[in-house]
Amino acid sequence: MNIRTIRTRLRATAALALLPLLALTACGSGDTDGTAAVGAQASPAPTDDPVASVHKVDSAAALLPADVREAGTLRVGSSIGFPPGAYYPGGTDKAPAGQDIDIADAVAKVLGVKLERQDASFETILPALGSGKYDFGTGNFGVTSERLKTIDFVTYINDGQGFAVKKGNTELKGKVTDLTQLCGLTIGTGAGTTFEATLSAQKGVCAKAGKKPYDVKVYSENAATLTALQQGRIDVIMSTINGLRYQAAQPASQTAFLGEFHRLDVGFAFKKGSPLTKAFQAAVNELIEDGTYARILKKWGTAPSAIDTSRINPPEHT
């Protein structure tokens, strides 16, 4: 083996070794844990702080239960690791940043409470709400009919499902509008997500169309999903619209966004029957009315996903 070949292989090995690090700051969904290193240098968090000027609104705070007002704190389970929703631009020893972080912090200021944020994997948060481990959860949780059976939602953005491929992919050249376009391919997605549920529920579409079925590989970390795509172990990623669009804008990720597949409202998640929902709805609507909400979305490049008003438990988009 000559020196040029050895150097080429060493460079390729080094690039693959960096992929997990890049994935954690160059992806989007809010579905997993993560840290930041190389990617953080390539894509630092915006420095403006629209949350700084937010103040308590007594009419919204009055909607909180008396014991919560007295305690002055709420526990939030946060899925952190997929910008622009929530990630660690400076490493896990620094504070997280992102759209979900800013909106939750702004809501807390409107309600006059402090947040005790606990980093948690996406798939563990919703089950933990029922046990009382968290008062609410964030993680780009889409509102679906199935989730509404056990979870209450207060909406704060409209995001949804999309697809991305490795740059240069020739098997999928345009927007995915029907899952039969994925027949014969291997799809990577996050554990416990609406993406996994959609792919599982529709797993028979290829057979009905007389085509080879698609295969689904589920990952608990976004870094693993992106690494699998770059190594050719999966052909396509299914994740959030905003996350995949953000990811494709980062040169290090080497992905191409294939467009929107299905829109979903996204909300703060609570155990069924939570007494917190009306206060959170009022707080989000205060932020929409005073312009803070628009400034947060502009900061994170997600303005096209803005909602006009927050709702409690809206029906799933069809």
Side-chain angles (χ1 to χ4, degrees), residues 48-88:
D48 53 316
D49 186 8
V51 182
S53 61
V54 177
H55 56 82
K56 182 180 178 181
V57 177
D58 291 337
S59 59
L63 297 174
L64 288 171
D67 60 334
V68 173
R69 294 200 304 273
E70 184 177 351
T73 59
L74 287 171
R75 298 159 300 161
V76 51
S78 295
S79 175
I80 301 173
F82 215 159
Y87 69 120
Y88 288 109

PDB file of all heavy atoms in Angstrom, residues 48-88:
ATOM      1  N   ASP A  48     -28.563  36.877  19.776  1.00  0.00           N
ATOM      2  CA  ASP A  48     -29.640  37.742  20.250  1.00  0.00           C
ATOM      3  C   ASP A  48     -30.504  36.999  21.268  1.00  0.00           C
ATOM      4  O   ASP A  48     -30.606  35.778  21.249  1.00  0.00           O
ATOM      5  CB  ASP A  48     -30.490  38.270  19.089  1.00  0.00           C
ATOM      6  CG  ASP A  48     -31.010  37.165  18.187  1.00  0.00           C
ATOM      7  OD1 ASP A  48     -30.223  36.269  17.857  1.00  0.00           O
ATOM      8  OD2 ASP A  48     -32.199  37.207  17.823  1.00  0.00           O
ATOM      9  N   ASP A  49     -31.124  37.744  22.167  1.00  0.00           N
ATOM     10  CA  ASP A  49     -31.869  37.142  23.276  1.00  0.00           C
ATOM     11  C   ASP A  49     -33.248  37.782  23.419  1.00  0.00           C
ATOM     12  O   ASP A  49     -33.461  38.660  24.263  1.00  0.00           O
ATOM     13  CB  ASP A  49     -31.071  37.292  24.572  1.00  0.00           C
ATOM     14  CG  ASP A  49     -31.717  36.562  25.744  1.00  0.00           C
ATOM     15  OD1 ASP A  49     -32.691  35.813  25.512  1.00  0.00           O
ATOM     16  OD2 ASP A  49     -31.250  36.741  26.875  1.00  0.00           O
ATOM     17  N   PRO A  50     -34.220  37.337  22.621  1.00  0.00           N
ATOM     18  CA  PRO A  50     -35.559  37.920  22.711  1.00  0.00           C
ATOM     19  C   PRO A  50     -36.270  37.590  24.020  1.00  0.00           C
ATOM     20  O   PRO A  50     -37.267  38.229  24.356  1.00  0.00           O
ATOM     21  CB  PRO A  50     -36.294  37.301  21.512  1.00  0.00           C
ATOM     22  CG  PRO A  50     -35.539  36.052  21.202  1.00  0.00           C
ATOM     23  CD  PRO A  50     -34.112  36.328  21.548  1.00  0.00           C
ATOM     24  N   VAL A  51     -35.756  36.615  24.770  1.00  0.00           N
ATOM     25  CA  VAL A  51     -36.401  36.235  26.023  1.00  0.00           C
ATOM     26  C   VAL A  51     -36.068  37.215  27.144  1.00  0.00           C
ATOM     27  O   VAL A  51     -36.796  37.330  28.127  1.00  0.00           O
ATOM     28  CB  VAL A  51     -35.983  34.791  26.425  1.00  0.00           C
ATOM     29  CG1 VAL A  51     -36.676  34.354  27.711  1.00  0.00           C
ATOM     30  CG2 VAL A  51     -36.316  33.811  25.303  1.00  0.00           C
ATOM     31  N   ALA A  52     -34.975  37.941  27.007  1.00  0.00           N
ATOM     32  CA  ALA A  52     -34.497  38.805  28.088  1.00  0.00           C
ATOM     33  C   ALA A  52     -35.527  39.848  28.525  1.00  0.00           C
ATOM     34  O   ALA A  52     -35.601  40.202  29.707  1.00  0.00           O
ATOM     35  CB  ALA A  52     -33.202  39.500  27.657  1.00  0.00           C
ATOM     36  N   SER A  53     -36.321  40.334  27.590  1.00  0.00           N
ATOM     37  CA  SER A  53     -37.269  41.408  27.906  1.00  0.00           C
ATOM     38  C   SER A  53     -38.634  40.899  28.369  1.00  0.00           C
ATOM     39  O   SER A  53     -39.521  41.696  28.674  1.00  0.00           O
ATOM     40  CB  SER A  53     -37.454  42.312  26.677  1.00  0.00           C
ATOM     41  OG  SER A  53     -37.987  41.559  25.585  1.00  0.00           O
ATOM     42  N   VAL A  54     -38.817  39.593  28.428  1.00  0.00           N
ATOM     43  CA  VAL A  54     -40.112  39.036  28.837  1.00  0.00           C
ATOM     44  C   VAL A  54     -40.317  39.227  30.338  1.00  0.00           C
ATOM     45  O   VAL A  54     -39.382  39.060  31.132  1.00  0.00           O
ATOM     46  CB  VAL A  54     -40.192  37.538  28.478  1.00  0.00           C
ATOM     47  CG1 VAL A  54     -41.515  36.935  28.958  1.00  0.00           C
ATOM     48  CG2 VAL A  54     -40.040  37.346  26.968  1.00  0.00           C
ATOM     49  N   HIS A  55     -41.523  39.577  30.710  1.00  0.00           N
ATOM     50  CA  HIS A  55     -41.829  39.783  32.127  1.00  0.00           C
ATOM     51  C   HIS A  55     -43.096  39.014  32.510  1.00  0.00           C
ATOM     52  O   HIS A  55     -43.850  38.543  31.649  1.00  0.00           O
ATOM     53  CB  HIS A  55     -42.020  41.278  32.423  1.00  0.00           C
ATOM     54  CG  HIS A  55     -43.083  41.929  31.572  1.00  0.00           C
ATOM     55  ND1 HIS A  55     -44.424  41.862  31.868  1.00  0.00           N
ATOM     56  CD2 HIS A  55     -42.978  42.641  30.424  1.00  0.00           C
ATOM     57  CE1 HIS A  55     -45.111  42.506  30.943  1.00  0.00           C
ATOM     58  NE2 HIS A  55     -44.263  42.998  30.051  1.00  0.00           N
ATOM     59  N   LYS A  56     -43.329  38.894  33.781  1.00  0.00           N
ATOM     60  CA  LYS A  56     -44.492  38.168  34.298  1.00  0.00           C
ATOM     61  C   LYS A  56     -45.792  38.884  33.914  1.00  0.00           C
ATOM     62  O   LYS A  56     -45.874  40.116  33.946  1.00  0.00           O
ATOM     63  CB  LYS A  56     -44.403  38.066  35.821  1.00  0.00           C
ATOM     64  CG  LYS A  56     -45.543  37.295  36.459  1.00  0.00           C
ATOM     65  CD  LYS A  56     -45.372  37.240  37.977  1.00  0.00           C
ATOM     66  CE  LYS A  56     -46.538  36.518  38.649  1.00  0.00           C
ATOM     67  NZ  LYS A  56     -46.384  36.486  40.128  1.00  0.00           N
ATOM     68  N   VAL A  57     -46.774  38.076  33.531  1.00  0.00           N
ATOM     69  CA  VAL A  57     -48.107  38.591  33.217  1.00  0.00           C
ATOM     70  C   VAL A  57     -49.072  37.991  34.247  1.00  0.00           C
ATOM     71  O   VAL A  57     -49.324  36.783  34.257  1.00  0.00           O
ATOM     72  CB  VAL A  57     -48.537  38.215  31.783  1.00  0.00           C
ATOM     73  CG1 VAL A  57     -49.953  38.707  31.510  1.00  0.00           C
ATOM     74  CG2 VAL A  57     -47.565  38.790  30.764  1.00  0.00           C
ATOM     75  N   ASP A  58     -49.576  38.837  35.115  1.00  0.00           N
ATOM     76  CA  ASP A  58     -50.362  38.354  36.255  1.00  0.00           C
ATOM     77  C   ASP A  58     -51.588  37.547  35.852  1.00  0.00           C
ATOM     78  O   ASP A  58     -51.926  36.555  36.504  1.00  0.00           O
ATOM     79  CB  ASP A  58     -50.790  39.527  37.137  1.00  0.00           C
ATOM     80  CG  ASP A  58     -49.616  40.162  37.868  1.00  0.00           C
ATOM     81  OD1 ASP A  58     -48.590  39.464  38.056  1.00  0.00           O
ATOM     82  OD2 ASP A  58     -49.724  41.343  38.253  1.00  0.00           O
ATOM     83  N   SER A  59     -52.245  37.956  34.763  1.00  0.00           N
ATOM     84  CA  SER A  59     -53.472  37.251  34.359  1.00  0.00           C
ATOM     85  C   SER A  59     -53.172  35.818  33.936  1.00  0.00           C
ATOM     86  O   SER A  59     -53.978  34.910  34.170  1.00  0.00           O
ATOM     87  CB  SER A  59     -54.168  38.006  33.226  1.00  0.00           C
ATOM     88  OG  SER A  59     -53.301  38.131  32.099  1.00  0.00           O
ATOM     89  N   ALA A  60     -52.026  35.607  33.308  1.00  0.00           N
ATOM     90  CA  ALA A  60     -51.628  34.251  32.916  1.00  0.00           C
ATOM     91  C   ALA A  60     -51.144  33.465  34.124  1.00  0.00           C
ATOM     92  O   ALA A  60     -51.508  32.295  34.307  1.00  0.00           O
ATOM     93  CB  ALA A  60     -50.529  34.311  31.849  1.00  0.00           C
ATOM     94  N   ALA A  61     -50.340  34.102  34.975  1.00  0.00           N
ATOM     95  CA  ALA A  61     -49.826  33.423  36.163  1.00  0.00           C
ATOM     96  C   ALA A  61     -50.939  32.980  37.094  1.00  0.00           C
ATOM     97  O   ALA A  61     -50.828  31.948  37.772  1.00  0.00           O
ATOM     98  CB  ALA A  61     -48.856  34.346  36.895  1.00  0.00           C
ATOM     99  N   ALA A  62     -52.030  33.741  37.117  1.00  0.00           N
ATOM    100  CA  ALA A  62     -53.154  33.402  37.998  1.00  0.00           C
ATOM    101  C   ALA A  62     -53.825  32.100  37.611  1.00  0.00           C
ATOM    102  O   ALA A  62     -54.560  31.507  38.420  1.00  0.00           O
ATOM    103  CB  ALA A  62     -54.172  34.540  37.989  1.00  0.00           C
ATOM    104  N   LEU A  63     -53.594  31.638  36.401  1.00  0.00           N
ATOM    105  CA  LEU A  63     -54.192  30.381  35.938  1.00  0.00           C
ATOM    106  C   LEU A  63     -53.441  29.155  36.444  1.00  0.00           C
ATOM    107  O   LEU A  63     -53.930  28.026  36.309  1.00  0.00           O
ATOM    108  CB  LEU A  63     -54.241  30.356  34.410  1.00  0.00           C
ATOM    109  CG  LEU A  63     -55.116  31.432  33.751  1.00  0.00           C
ATOM    110  CD1 LEU A  63     -54.949  31.390  32.234  1.00  0.00           C
ATOM    111  CD2 LEU A  63     -56.579  31.229  34.125  1.00  0.00           C
ATOM    112  N   LEU A  64     -52.255  29.357  37.015  1.00  0.00           N
ATOM    113  CA  LEU A  64     -51.516  28.236  37.593  1.00  0.00           C
ATOM    114  C   LEU A  64     -52.170  27.781  38.892  1.00  0.00           C
ATOM    115  O   LEU A  64     -52.741  28.593  39.628  1.00  0.00           O
ATOM    116  CB  LEU A  64     -50.068  28.653  37.885  1.00  0.00           C
ATOM    117  CG  LEU A  64     -49.134  28.859  36.709  1.00  0.00           C
ATOM    118  CD1 LEU A  64     -47.821  29.471  37.199  1.00  0.00           C
ATOM    119  CD2 LEU A  64     -48.863  27.535  35.991  1.00  0.00           C
ATOM    120  N   PRO A  65     -52.073  26.506  39.212  1.00  0.00           N
ATOM    121  CA  PRO A  65     -52.561  26.036  40.508  1.00  0.00           C
ATOM    122  C   PRO A  65     -51.828  26.754  41.646  1.00  0.00           C
ATOM    123  O   PRO A  65     -50.647  27.111  41.504  1.00  0.00           O
ATOM    124  CB  PRO A  65     -52.227  24.543  40.495  1.00  0.00           C
ATOM    125  CG  PRO A  65     -52.121  24.183  39.048  1.00  0.00           C
ATOM    126  CD  PRO A  65     -51.570  25.406  38.375  1.00  0.00           C
ATOM    127  N   ALA A  66     -52.490  26.924  42.769  1.00  0.00           N
ATOM    128  CA  ALA A  66     -51.911  27.661  43.897  1.00  0.00           C
ATOM    129  C   ALA A  66     -50.604  27.041  44.376  1.00  0.00           C
ATOM    130  O   ALA A  66     -49.656  27.760  44.727  1.00  0.00           O
ATOM    131  CB  ALA A  66     -52.919  27.735  45.042  1.00  0.00           C
ATOM    132  N   ASP A  67     -50.529  25.712  44.397  1.00  0.00           N
ATOM    133  CA  ASP A  67     -49.312  25.071  44.897  1.00  0.00           C
ATOM    134  C   ASP A  67     -48.121  25.323  43.977  1.00  0.00           C
ATOM    135  O   ASP A  67     -46.981  25.433  44.441  1.00  0.00           O
ATOM    136  CB  ASP A  67     -49.529  23.571  45.104  1.00  0.00           C
ATOM    137  CG  ASP A  67     -49.917  22.844  43.823  1.00  0.00           C
ATOM    138  OD1 ASP A  67     -50.494  23.482  42.918  1.00  0.00           O
ATOM    139  OD2 ASP A  67     -49.643  21.631  43.724  1.00  0.00           O
ATOM    140  N   VAL A  68     -48.384  25.444  42.671  1.00  0.00           N
ATOM    141  CA  VAL A  68     -47.307  25.733  41.728  1.00  0.00           C
ATOM    142  C   VAL A  68     -46.839  27.175  41.896  1.00  0.00           C
ATOM    143  O   VAL A  68     -45.630  27.463  41.896  1.00  0.00           O
ATOM    144  CB  VAL A  68     -47.764  25.490  40.272  1.00  0.00           C
ATOM    145  CG1 VAL A  68     -46.694  25.950  39.293  1.00  0.00           C
ATOM    146  CG2 VAL A  68     -48.083  24.017  40.061  1.00  0.00           C
ATOM    147  N   ARG A  69     -47.770  28.095  42.071  1.00  0.00           N
ATOM    148  CA  ARG A  69     -47.402  29.489  42.295  1.00  0.00           C
ATOM    149  C   ARG A  69     -46.575  29.633  43.566  1.00  0.00           C
ATOM    150  O   ARG A  69     -45.611  30.391  43.615  1.00  0.00           O
ATOM    151  CB  ARG A  69     -48.655  30.371  42.380  1.00  0.00           C
ATOM    152  CG  ARG A  69     -49.456  30.460  41.088  1.00  0.00           C
ATOM    153  CD  ARG A  69     -50.373  31.671  41.071  1.00  0.00           C
ATOM    154  NE  ARG A  69     -51.270  31.706  42.214  1.00  0.00           N
ATOM    155  CZ  ARG A  69     -52.467  31.096  42.253  1.00  0.00           C
ATOM    156  NH1 ARG A  69     -52.893  30.419  41.177  1.00  0.00           N
ATOM    157  NH2 ARG A  69     -53.223  31.176  43.323  1.00  0.00           N
ATOM    158  N   GLU A  70     -46.955  28.874  44.571  1.00  0.00           N
ATOM    159  CA  GLU A  70     -46.220  28.935  45.839  1.00  0.00           C
ATOM    160  C   GLU A  70     -44.818  28.341  45.710  1.00  0.00           C
ATOM    161  O   GLU A  70     -43.836  28.905  46.203  1.00  0.00           O
ATOM    162  CB  GLU A  70     -46.996  28.193  46.930  1.00  0.00           C
ATOM    163  CG  GLU A  70     -46.346  28.280  48.307  1.00  0.00           C
ATOM    164  CD  GLU A  70     -47.181  27.605  49.386  1.00  0.00           C
ATOM    165  OE1 GLU A  70     -48.338  27.223  49.099  1.00  0.00           O
ATOM    166  OE2 GLU A  70     -46.661  27.444  50.508  1.00  0.00           O
ATOM    167  N   ALA A  71     -44.724  27.203  45.030  1.00  0.00           N
ATOM    168  CA  ALA A  71     -43.424  26.553  44.859  1.00  0.00           C
ATOM    169  C   ALA A  71     -42.510  27.370  43.944  1.00  0.00           C
ATOM    170  O   ALA A  71     -41.298  27.448  44.145  1.00  0.00           O
ATOM    171  CB  ALA A  71     -43.603  25.149  44.303  1.00  0.00           C
ATOM    172  N   GLY A  72     -43.113  27.935  42.908  1.00  0.00           N
ATOM    173  CA  GLY A  72     -42.358  28.791  42.001  1.00  0.00           C
ATOM    174  C   GLY A  72     -41.460  28.072  41.021  1.00  0.00           C
ATOM    175  O   GLY A  72     -40.636  28.699  40.354  1.00  0.00           O
ATOM    176  N   THR A  73     -41.611  26.749  40.900  1.00  0.00           N
ATOM    177  CA  THR A  73     -40.778  25.981  39.975  1.00  0.00           C
ATOM    178  C   THR A  73     -41.613  24.926  39.247  1.00  0.00           C
ATOM    179  O   THR A  73     -42.628  24.447  39.782  1.00  0.00           O
ATOM    180  CB  THR A  73     -39.620  25.258  40.693  1.00  0.00           C
ATOM    181  OG1 THR A  73     -40.160  24.361  41.681  1.00  0.00           O
ATOM    182  CG2 THR A  73     -38.680  26.240  41.350  1.00  0.00           C
ATOM    183  N   LEU A  74     -41.175  24.575  38.065  1.00  0.00           N
ATOM    184  CA  LEU A  74     -41.766  23.489  37.292  1.00  0.00           C
ATOM    185  C   LEU A  74     -40.643  22.619  36.751  1.00  0.00           C
ATOM    186  O   LEU A  74     -39.611  23.117  36.294  1.00  0.00           O
ATOM    187  CB  LEU A  74     -42.606  24.034  36.130  1.00  0.00           C
ATOM    188  CG  LEU A  74     -43.937  24.681  36.479  1.00  0.00           C
ATOM    189  CD1 LEU A  74     -44.535  25.366  35.241  1.00  0.00           C
ATOM    190  CD2 LEU A  74     -44.924  23.645  37.024  1.00  0.00           C
ATOM    191  N   ARG A  75     -40.853  21.308  36.776  1.00  0.00           N
ATOM    192  CA  ARG A  75     -39.867  20.364  36.246  1.00  0.00           C
ATOM    193  C   ARG A  75     -40.206  20.041  34.799  1.00  0.00           C
ATOM    194  O   ARG A  75     -41.319  19.627  34.503  1.00  0.00           O
ATOM    195  CB  ARG A  75     -39.873  19.077  37.077  1.00  0.00           C
ATOM    196  CG  ARG A  75     -39.483  19.250  38.544  1.00  0.00           C
ATOM    197  CD  ARG A  75     -39.999  18.108  39.381  1.00  0.00           C
ATOM    198  NE  ARG A  75     -41.453  18.037  39.304  1.00  0.00           N
ATOM    199  CZ  ARG A  75     -42.174  16.956  39.611  1.00  0.00           C
ATOM    200  NH1 ARG A  75     -41.573  15.843  39.984  1.00  0.00           N
ATOM    201  NH2 ARG A  75     -43.492  16.984  39.528  1.00  0.00           N
ATOM    202  N   VAL A  76     -39.227  20.216  33.912  1.00  0.00           N
ATOM    203  CA  VAL A  76     -39.447  19.941  32.498  1.00  0.00           C
ATOM    204  C   VAL A  76     -38.455  18.900  32.015  1.00  0.00           C
ATOM    205  O   VAL A  76     -37.246  19.017  32.228  1.00  0.00           O
ATOM    206  CB  VAL A  76     -39.344  21.233  31.650  1.00  0.00           C
ATOM    207  CG1 VAL A  76     -38.059  21.994  31.934  1.00  0.00           C
ATOM    208  CG2 VAL A  76     -39.450  20.911  30.171  1.00  0.00           C
ATOM    209  N   GLY A  77     -38.976  17.869  31.381  1.00  0.00           N
ATOM    210  CA  GLY A  77     -38.139  16.877  30.721  1.00  0.00           C
ATOM    211  C   GLY A  77     -37.888  17.334  29.300  1.00  0.00           C
ATOM    212  O   GLY A  77     -38.833  17.506  28.525  1.00  0.00           O
ATOM    213  N   SER A  78     -36.629  17.567  28.949  1.00  0.00           N
ATOM    214  CA  SER A  78     -36.286  18.128  27.645  1.00  0.00           C
ATOM    215  C   SER A  78     -35.437  17.163  26.832  1.00  0.00           C
ATOM    216  O   SER A  78     -34.427  16.659  27.320  1.00  0.00           O
ATOM    217  CB  SER A  78     -35.506  19.440  27.807  1.00  0.00           C
ATOM    218  OG  SER A  78     -36.304  20.436  28.402  1.00  0.00           O
ATOM    219  N   SER A  79     -35.856  16.921  25.599  1.00  0.00           N
ATOM    220  CA  SER A  79     -35.053  16.167  24.657  1.00  0.00           C
ATOM    221  C   SER A  79     -34.138  17.158  23.945  1.00  0.00           C
ATOM    222  O   SER A  79     -34.610  18.031  23.223  1.00  0.00           O
ATOM    223  CB  SER A  79     -35.953  15.443  23.647  1.00  0.00           C
ATOM    224  OG  SER A  79     -35.179  14.793  22.667  1.00  0.00           O
ATOM    225  N   ILE A  80     -32.842  17.029  24.162  1.00  0.00           N
ATOM    226  CA  ILE A  80     -31.881  18.017  23.682  1.00  0.00           C
ATOM    227  C   ILE A  80     -30.842  17.336  22.800  1.00  0.00           C
ATOM    228  O   ILE A  80     -30.226  16.364  23.209  1.00  0.00           O
ATOM    229  CB  ILE A  80     -31.189  18.726  24.859  1.00  0.00           C
ATOM    230  CG1 ILE A  80     -32.239  19.417  25.747  1.00  0.00           C
ATOM    231  CG2 ILE A  80     -30.168  19.735  24.362  1.00  0.00           C
ATOM    232  CD1 ILE A  80     -31.687  19.998  27.027  1.00  0.00           C
ATOM    233  N   GLY A  81     -30.654  17.852  21.597  1.00  0.00           N
ATOM    234  CA  GLY A  81     -29.656  17.259  20.719  1.00  0.00           C
ATOM    235  C   GLY A  81     -29.933  17.406  19.238  1.00  0.00           C
ATOM    236  O   GLY A  81     -29.259  16.807  18.416  1.00  0.00           O
ATOM    237  N   PHE A  82     -30.947  18.201  18.873  1.00  0.00           N
ATOM    238  CA  PHE A  82     -31.293  18.315  17.460  1.00  0.00           C
ATOM    239  C   PHE A  82     -31.712  19.749  17.159  1.00  0.00           C
ATOM    240  O   PHE A  82     -32.853  20.124  17.347  1.00  0.00           O
ATOM    241  CB  PHE A  82     -32.438  17.357  17.148  1.00  0.00           C
ATOM    242  CG  PHE A  82     -32.371  16.742  15.774  1.00  0.00           C
ATOM    243  CD1 PHE A  82     -33.053  15.570  15.505  1.00  0.00           C
ATOM    244  CD2 PHE A  82     -31.645  17.318  14.750  1.00  0.00           C
ATOM    245  CE1 PHE A  82     -33.014  14.972  14.254  1.00  0.00           C
ATOM    246  CE2 PHE A  82     -31.591  16.751  13.489  1.00  0.00           C
ATOM    247  CZ  PHE A  82     -32.280  15.563  13.243  1.00  0.00           C
ATOM    248  N   PRO A  83     -30.787  20.615  16.724  1.00  0.00           N
ATOM    249  CA  PRO A  83     -31.158  21.983  16.394  1.00  0.00           C
ATOM    250  C   PRO A  83     -32.061  22.044  15.173  1.00  0.00           C
ATOM    251  O   PRO A  83     -32.051  21.103  14.379  1.00  0.00           O
ATOM    252  CB  PRO A  83     -29.797  22.648  16.111  1.00  0.00           C
ATOM    253  CG  PRO A  83     -28.908  21.534  15.678  1.00  0.00           C
ATOM    254  CD  PRO A  83     -29.381  20.340  16.452  1.00  0.00           C
ATOM    255  N   PRO A  84     -32.846  23.076  15.009  1.00  0.00           N
ATOM    256  CA  PRO A  84     -32.874  24.271  15.842  1.00  0.00           C
ATOM    257  C   PRO A  84     -33.763  24.172  17.074  1.00  0.00           C
ATOM    258  O   PRO A  84     -33.946  25.160  17.764  1.00  0.00           O
ATOM    259  CB  PRO A  84     -33.431  25.324  14.885  1.00  0.00           C
ATOM    260  CG  PRO A  84     -34.391  24.553  14.024  1.00  0.00           C
ATOM    261  CD  PRO A  84     -33.739  23.196  13.825  1.00  0.00           C
ATOM    262  N   GLY A  85     -34.296  22.993  17.370  1.00  0.00           N
ATOM    263  CA  GLY A  85     -35.180  22.848  18.522  1.00  0.00           C
ATOM    264  C   GLY A  85     -34.461  22.989  19.841  1.00  0.00           C
ATOM    265  O   GLY A  85     -34.792  23.865  20.659  1.00  0.00           O
ATOM    266  N   ALA A  86     -33.487  22.124  20.089  1.00  0.00           N
ATOM    267  CA  ALA A  86     -32.734  22.160  21.345  1.00  0.00           C
ATOM    268  C   ALA A  86     -31.436  21.397  21.161  1.00  0.00           C
ATOM    269  O   ALA A  86     -31.444  20.251  20.709  1.00  0.00           O
ATOM    270  CB  ALA A  86     -33.558  21.547  22.478  1.00  0.00           C
ATOM    271  N   TYR A  87     -30.332  22.033  21.528  1.00  0.00           N
ATOM    272  CA  TYR A  87     -29.036  21.373  21.381  1.00  0.00           C
ATOM    273  C   TYR A  87     -28.015  22.054  22.285  1.00  0.00           C
ATOM    274  O   TYR A  87     -28.323  23.025  22.969  1.00  0.00           O
ATOM    275  CB  TYR A  87     -28.571  21.379  19.930  1.00  0.00           C
ATOM    276  CG  TYR A  87     -28.188  22.723  19.345  1.00  0.00           C
ATOM    277  CD1 TYR A  87     -26.903  22.953  18.862  1.00  0.00           C
ATOM    278  CD2 TYR A  87     -29.111  23.766  19.237  1.00  0.00           C
ATOM    279  CE1 TYR A  87     -26.546  24.166  18.299  1.00  0.00           C
ATOM    280  CE2 TYR A  87     -28.764  24.981  18.682  1.00  0.00           C
ATOM    281  CZ  TYR A  87     -27.482  25.186  18.217  1.00  0.00           C
ATOM    282  OH  TYR A  87     -27.141  26.392  17.665  1.00  0.00           O
ATOM    283  N   TYR A  88     -26.789  21.520  22.294  1.00  0.00           N
ATOM    284  CA  TYR A  88     -25.718  22.065  23.126  1.00  0.00           C
ATOM    285  C   TYR A  88     -24.638  22.677  22.226  1.00  0.00           C
ATOM    286  O   TYR A  88     -23.686  22.003  21.859  1.00  0.00           O
ATOM    287  CB  TYR A  88     -25.103  20.964  23.988  1.00  0.00           C
ATOM    288  CG  TYR A  88     -25.974  20.478  25.111  1.00  0.00           C
ATOM    289  CD1 TYR A  88     -26.551  19.204  25.072  1.00  0.00           C
ATOM    290  CD2 TYR A  88     -26.206  21.273  26.237  1.00  0.00           C
ATOM    291  CE1 TYR A  88     -27.336  18.743  26.114  1.00  0.00           C
ATOM    292  CE2 TYR A  88     -27.002  20.817  27.274  1.00  0.00           C
ATOM    293  CZ  TYR A  88     -27.558  19.546  27.214  1.00  0.00           C
ATOM    294  OH  TYR A  88     -28.336  19.093  28.253  1.00  0.00           O
TER     295      TYR A  88
END
